[in-house]
Amino acid sequence: MNPFEKANIGGAEIKNRFVMAPMISNLCNPDGTTDENHIRYLEERARGGFGLIITEYAYVDDSNGKGSPNEMGIFSRSQLPKLSRLTERIHSAGSKIFVQLVHSGGKANPHYNTGKIFAPSSVDYIGSIPEEMTKDDIKKVEEKFVNAAELAYRAGFDGIELHGAHGYLLQEFISPALNKRTDEYGGSVENRIRIINEISSAIKSKLNMPLGIRLSLYEDDEDGYDADYGIDVASRLENMDYVHFSSGRFAPPGSSASFYYDNVHIGAKLKKKLDKNTMLVGSIRSMEDIEKALTVSDFVVLGRQALADPYTPVKIKMKMPYRVCIRCNQACRNLANAEVRCTINPYTGIEETIQPGRKYHGEIAIVGSGIKGLEAALYSANKGFKPIIYEESSFGGQFNEIIDKYKKRDFTPLIEYYRSMLEKYGIEIRHESSNTGIFCLPDKVYPDILDMGDVSIDTNIYRYFDDALRIAEKNKVIMSNNSLNSLERSRVTGYRRLAEKAGIEFKDMDHYDFKLYDSSQYDILEAMKSGRRVIENYILENETEFL
């Protein structure tokens, strides 16, 4: 299937098969209202060619439905003006926009809610036990969803998606492991999905607009349901114009698999297309991935790839290089504490700061071809300069020191992107040293520990995670469990598995004498920002010369 073909969902015409996934951004205000930066963030993806934008999950109940600090909300008429601005801007950029509705249920964060935290059943939710919902609670939640749908209609959204995945309330009803009820809302598939069918029926009776659901095709948890159960659920859901397949409940990897997981898409567990529109998400980055997904799905959903390069659809169509998501799960997953960012796109989450800028001319020398130097070269070329890169050793700088084979596999496309862009801009690389020019050597080089023999490490530095694997080939390595706190859960699981296979032991700090190896992280994003910064500083110091 051609991803650039038009398609129809419940009467809404979508200009192509590219969908931006709903992803937590924390770009909204603490009261759930959208703002200019949140709008620009979504608008940039619409400009980049996505036929359909699905907003991040929007909580429908401000008493106990909120899951993250600055989550988008849709529960009050007072939110309509700003929501209308959002839909207006996405439409002006040529895309359709659906809003995803959620109640966080047992995953609702007590820090951001004033009401009781409840779920279908009072079972363990990763260390907390919510109250069991009464039938009155269920009816009130259904009313909240319908109210939110009516607000979405008034605000100009083109469609509605219910969030029935990733351990939130509707999936809590679907999941046999979480739903232990013995009344008409539990005990069988029909009963577990009753709340969803009641919500969808009420929405469709009031509104003539597309309605779909995001559904975990399977759960990764040990007691999770499999794909056959997920397909059975999807086939029984009523009033749905589409099903958006994701995966997972609480356990990693879920839909945001890190580079430690083979790039096997959720679609591999779909035996055939359903008799309704389907969307598919999960580590989809390349044209090969897209084509594979479209063999079992009508739409392809890009999540982290839309953060890495918002213009991915346009660039694919024009056969241009684009930044490929490296599945690092760093800046995009630190959402308990920060807004969304992307390790390989310095503009993600701060799109409001993008300015056209003045064009310059003239030749400039850039010394160093690590990430800092490569980003400086592209940034300067985009501003009109003619950069020349001087590199006396190997192209890619510290990237060549990556030992972790999984990381190397998924990080390599970033270096390939830079090679392609240097060729596109006609940027020359001279394999020689230079004593003049803009020096783009790394801002931070970590002390070498490879020849220290047996080591005990307490660190949050990604570089030392790689070094530990190399040291373990010949020496004893002990790492603190605390070291892994800097990693997202999917990476913790993957790295621990890889490290223990290499013979690395993990111990608590209370029982072992660890040496601390640095704490200040200098990563890809910091290198990119630094590369752009040196160009900006160079312009400030020499602007009149290049106008």
Side-chain angles (χ1 to χ4, degrees), residues 306-347:
L307 305 180
D309 197 326
Y311 285 78
T312 297
V314 165
K315 290 179 178 179
I316 288 177
K317 189 172 186 177
M318 298 180 68
K319 295 182 170 53
M320 293 173 59
Y322 60 91
R323 294 178 192 246
V324 177
C325 168
I326 60 175
R327 302 203 302 162
C328 64
N329 285 3
Q330 288 169 209
C332 63
R333 306 298 296 172
N334 183 26
L335 295 167
N337 308 303
E339 297 176 345
V340 68
R341 297 291 186 267
C342 177
T343 300
I344 64 170
N345 181 359
Y347 281 133

Side-chain angles (χ1 to χ4, degrees), residues 20 23-30 32-42 45 56 68-72 307 335 338-341 347-352:
M20 177 187 174
M23 294 173 284
I24 307 172
S25 74
N26 274 344
L27 293 174
C28 291
N29 297 313
T33 54
T34 185
D35 63 13
E36 182 59 24
N37 198 37
H38 179 242
I39 292 171
R40 278 289 295 114
Y41 158 75
L42 295 175
R45 277 76 198 167
E56 64 193 86
S68 52
N70 288 358
E71 182 181 344
M72 181 178 171
L307 305 180
L335 295 167
E339 297 176 345
V340 68
R341 297 291 186 267
Y347 281 133
T348 294
I350 56 170
E351 285 77 9
E352 190 179 10

Side-chain angles (χ1 to χ4, degrees), residues 63-84:
S63 65
N64 64 353
K66 191 175 183 181
S68 52
N70 288 358
E71 182 181 344
M72 181 178 171
I74 182 165
F75 49 82
S76 169
R77 287 191 175 220
S78 65
Q79 297 167 318
L80 286 174
K82 287 289 190 265
L83 290 172
S84 296

Side-chain angles (χ1 to χ4, degrees), residues 376-388:
L378 293 191
Y379 191 65
S380 61
N382 201 38
K383 287 184 171 293
F385 291 108
K386 182 181 179 182
I388 297 174

Side-chain angles (χ1 to χ4, degrees), residues 329-504:
N329 285 3
Q330 288 169 209
C332 63
R333 306 298 296 172
N334 183 26
L335 295 167
N337 308 303
E339 297 176 345
V340 68
R341 297 291 186 267
C342 177
T343 300
I344 64 170
N345 181 359
Y347 281 133
T348 294
I350 56 170
E351 285 77 9
E352 190 179 10
T353 67
I354 299 174
Q355 301 294 333
R358 182 178 288 176
K359 287 292 184 179
Y360 301 90
H361 68 276
E363 190 174 280
I364 57 175
I366 292 177
V367 182
S369 71
I371 294 298
K372 180 178 177 180
L374 293 173
E375 190 66 22
L378 293 191
Y379 191 65
S380 61
N382 201 38
K383 287 184 171 293
F385 291 108
K386 182 181 179 182
I388 297 174
I389 297 176
Y390 289 84
E391 176 58 74
E392 61 179 336
S393 57
S394 55
F395 184 87
Q398 294 185 82
F399 249 53
N400 297 297
E401 300 171 11
I402 294 175
I403 297 164
D404 186 326
K405 64 180 181 179
Y406 298 101
K407 184 188 295 184
K408 197 174 190 69
R409 176 192 64 188
D410 275 25
F411 281 27
T412 296
L414 181 60
I415 295 298
E416 293 172 353
Y417 163 78
Y418 279 116
R419 286 189 187 278
S420 298
M421 290 302 291
L422 296 185
E423 183 178 343
K424 178 179 181 295
Y425 279 116
I427 297 173
E428 181 184 357
I429 302 176
R430 296 181 182 175
H431 297 284
E432 56 188 79
S433 62
S434 176
N435 295 321
T436 61
I438 302 173
F439 285 86
C440 288
L441 303 178
D443 296 333
K444 189 173 186 65
V445 178
Y446 297 104
D448 192 355
I449 63 171
L450 288 175
D451 298 321
M452 292 182 65
D454 296 347
V455 293
S456 55
I457 305 172
D458 173 51
T459 182
N460 68 318
I461 303 301
Y462 306 139
R463 160 66 189 272
Y464 287 138
F465 295 162
D466 270 55
D467 285 354
L469 295 173
R470 177 65 57 83
I471 296 168
E473 293 174 2
K474 296 181 180 179
N475 298 93
K476 184 176 181 63
V477 178
I478 298 174
M479 294 185 70
S480 70
N481 286 310
N482 190 56
S483 291
L484 304 184
N485 288 347
S486 65
L487 301 181
E488 167 270 344
R489 287 190 308 152
S490 176
R491 278 184 64 176
V492 168
T493 304
Y495 181 77
R496 184 183 284 273
R497 183 171 59 237
L498 181 66
E500 289 177 344
K501 185 177 180 181
I504 295 173

Side-chain angles (χ1 to χ4, degrees), residues 518-537:
D518 217 309
S519 61
S520 176
Q521 188 76 255
Y522 180 68
D523 64 3
I524 295 169
L525 181 56
E526 290 304 314
M528 287 183 176
K529 288 179 179 178
S530 183
R532 294 184 175 199
R533 192 162 54 244
V534 295
I535 298 301
E536 291 292 349
N537 291 339

Side-chain angles (χ1 to χ4, degrees), residues 3 17-23 41 45 48-50 52-54 214 244 255 265 279-287 289-291 293-294 299-314 316 322-325:
R17 306 302 175 113
F18 287 96
V19 179
M20 177 187 174
M23 294 173 284
Y41 158 75
R45 277 76 198 167
F50 285 89
L52 175 61
I53 306 293
I54 304 179
R214 196 178 211 197
H244 175 181
S255 62
H265 303 300
M279 299 181 182
L280 197 63
V281 74
S283 292
I284 297 173
R285 303 175 293 163
S286 67
M287 193 59 197
D289 297 335
I290 291 165
E291 290 173 344
L294 290 176
F299 294 86
V300 61
V301 185
L302 275 56
R304 290 168 295 173
Q305 180 56 44
L307 305 180
D309 197 326
Y311 285 78
T312 297
V314 165
I316 288 177
Y322 60 91
R323 294 178 192 246
V324 177
C325 168

